[in-house]
């Protein structure tokens, strides 16, 4: 089973970015935890971060047939991007949307997610731990739904 972890804009700044909201862990810490979790569960994981919406769209567009599922923290694009939503839907891959913070406890504009309706589940508010929970949930979902297609 091959999984893809995608992190969106400004998440490369984790560790120093608004630590009172996002904590002190880095993007490398989050990617390492996701990869370790995948490995523990017998899956492989590739990681990609971009600040650029179109790059994320292109990577999702190329994921079909290559990966069995996606964990994505779309960051601010969650609340704005029809293009990312359409890319996830077109991939026909199970995706789990992940947020470090609980967006419902924050500004009103963060309560809307363009991407959640095309994901199988959403995890938010657990900080770094969310990266482990998202991978566990996605692997369980793929195994239960027999969608293991890629090598
Ligand atoms: C975030 C929440 C988004 O609202 C915000 O724009 C981010 C990070 C999170 O992980 O909590 O950049 O996706």
């Amino acid at each position: 089973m091959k999984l893809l972890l995608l992190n969106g804009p400004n998440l490369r700044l984790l560790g120093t970015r608004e630590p009172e909201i996002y904590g002190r862990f880095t993007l490398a810490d989050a990617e390492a935890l996701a990869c370790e979790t995948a490995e523990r569960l017998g899956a492989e994981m590739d990681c990609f971060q971009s600040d650029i919406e179109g790059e994320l769209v292109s990577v999702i567009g190329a994921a079909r047939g290559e990966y069995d599922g996606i964990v994505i923290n779309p960051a601010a694009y969650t609340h704005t991007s029809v293009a990312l939503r359409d890319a996830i839907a077109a991939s026909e891959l199970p995706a789990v949307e992940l947020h470090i913070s609980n967006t419902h406890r924050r500004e009103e504009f963060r309560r809307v997610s363009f991407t959640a309706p095309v994901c199988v589940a959403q995890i938010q508010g657990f900080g770094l731990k969310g990266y482990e929970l998202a991978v566990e949930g996605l692997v369980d979902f793929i195994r239960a739904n027999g969608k293991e297609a890629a090598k």
Side-chain angles (χ1 to χ4, degrees):
M1 184 189 303
K2 270 183 82 178
L3 308 175
L4 180 61
L5 173 66
L6 298 177
N7 280 288
N10 301 309
L11 293 173
R12 69 175 70 231
L13 303 175
L14 285 172
T16 54
R17 175 193 179 197
E18 298 181 274
E20 65 288 357
I21 296 173
Y22 299 115
R24 296 245 172 233
F25 67 90
T26 64
L27 178 64
D29 295 333
E31 290 180 342
L33 177 58
C35 288
E36 281 162 26
T37 306
E39 202 174 311
R40 168 166 62 78
L41 299 172
E44 288 172 56
M45 172 155 265
D46 291 334
C47 301
F48 180 73
Q49 186 276 335
S50 179
D51 293 334
I52 301 167
E53 184 178 14
E55 282 188 0
L56 294 163
V57 169
S58 295
V59 167
I60 296 168
R64 193 173 175 174
E66 285 296 314
Y67 293 95
D68 299 293
I70 298 172
V71 173
I72 181 166
N73 183 344
Y77 293 141
T78 307
H79 319 298
T80 62
S81 181
V82 176
L84 265 188
R85 176 200 173 111
D86 287 353
I88 295 167
S91 78
E92 292 186 354
L93 292 171
V96 174
E97 179 174 312
L98 156 69
H99 299 287
I100 297 158
S101 63
N102 179 352
T103 60
H104 295 284
R105 299 185 71 179
R106 301 179 61 193
E107 301 93 330
E108 188 77 33
F109 66 84
R110 293 186 204 275
R111 294 197 188 147
V112 173
S113 171
F114 280 62
T115 42
V118 293
C119 292
V120 296
Q122 191 192 50
I123 288 175
Q124 50 174 312
F126 288 114
L128 176 62
K129 176 84 179 172
Y131 284 85
E132 181 178 356
L133 297 175
V135 175
E136 288 177 343
L138 180 60
V139 169
D140 273 9
F141 180 90
I142 293 166
R143 293 202 167 129
N145 289 276
K147 285 242 172 168
E148 208 166 327
K151 45 256 134 181

